[in-house]
Amino acid sequence: MSTVTFQGHQPTLVEGANAAQAAGAPTIALRILSSEEHRDDGDPSVLQLANDADPMAIEQCLGDVERIDLDFPKFTDGRAYSQAFLLRRRLGFRGDIRATGDVLIDQLVQMERMGFSSAVLKEGVDASAARRQFERFAAFYQGDAVTALPRFRRNGDKADRG
């Protein structure tokens, strides 16, 4: 599985991503977790941001935070997408932005594009089915939180997600 590190506001794919790109396989930067792998043990470096909270209000404390959990109370509520985008692009948060709650596999590609770096699947959801979502969408014309420039402005860059 590939992971993402951030240099400034731009992500860099690591751990096998170059080999996957060379082989033409889509690179999955979103870390997919089962509900059992997700732990909320009261770690002070983990912040749970309410779905209706303004991420701009926590700008001053982001230096002490390693992970921010954004909740999807139901799959039709997309406010966490906006929160992730603001955290990643406007505030330059470089830590883990994790999707929790009612996370469906068909939302994972969009979550990655908006700046999420990990997602917790609902209990009973097959992680391999979730990874297949990334095979369905190999490239995007628009820029996003991960790759700011639109495809036509990337100077011949042929990378699918970066």
Side-chain angles (χ1 to χ4, degrees):
M1 184 181 323
S2 299
T3 59
V4 171
T5 60
F6 286 85
Q7 297 173 347
H9 296 279
Q10 294 300 318
T12 302
L13 299 171
V14 295
E15 294 182 21
N18 292 337
Q21 285 178 339
T27 302
I28 302 172
L30 185 75
R31 186 168 165 229
I32 300 170
L33 304 167
S34 68
S35 56
E36 294 82 31
E37 292 174 301
H38 174 66
R39 289 190 180 83
D40 178 17
D41 56 6
D43 185 342
S45 67
V46 175
L47 178 65
Q48 293 181 350
L49 192 60
N51 167 286
D52 59 353
D54 180 5
M56 304 304 275
I58 63 165
E59 182 175 10
Q60 298 303 317
C61 70
L62 286 179
D64 300 326
V65 177
E66 293 177 17
R67 186 180 91 208
I68 299 176
D69 292 352
L70 301 179
D71 183 46
F72 286 84
K74 53 187 175 178
F75 77 92
T76 57
D77 190 334
R79 291 178 284 182
Y81 289 112
S82 299
Q83 290 174 318
F85 189 85
L86 289 171
L87 287 164
R88 198 62 86 200
R89 289 293 296 278
R90 288 210 185 146
L91 298 177
F93 180 68
R94 296 161 40 148
D96 183 15
I97 299 177
R98 182 169 294 179
T100 63
D102 196 7
V103 174
L104 303 178
I105 63 172
D106 61 343
Q107 298 171 311
L108 294 174
V109 172
Q110 187 66 18
M111 286 178 182
E112 179 187 49
R113 295 188 72 212
M114 291 298 102
F116 285 95
S117 49
S118 62
V120 180
L121 298 177
K122 289 175 32 174
E123 191 171 325
V125 175
D126 180 19
S128 63
R131 286 185 191 93
R132 282 194 299 271
Q133 292 297 321
F134 293 90
E135 296 169 7
R136 293 185 175 135
F137 303 97
F140 301 98
Y141 289 108
Q142 316 90 330
D144 53 37
V146 176
T147 305
L149 293 175
R151 191 162 185 89
F152 70 90
R153 298 276 319 260
R154 293 186 209 154
N155 295 329
D157 181 14
K158 297 186 195 265
D160 291 349
R161 289 185 174 31

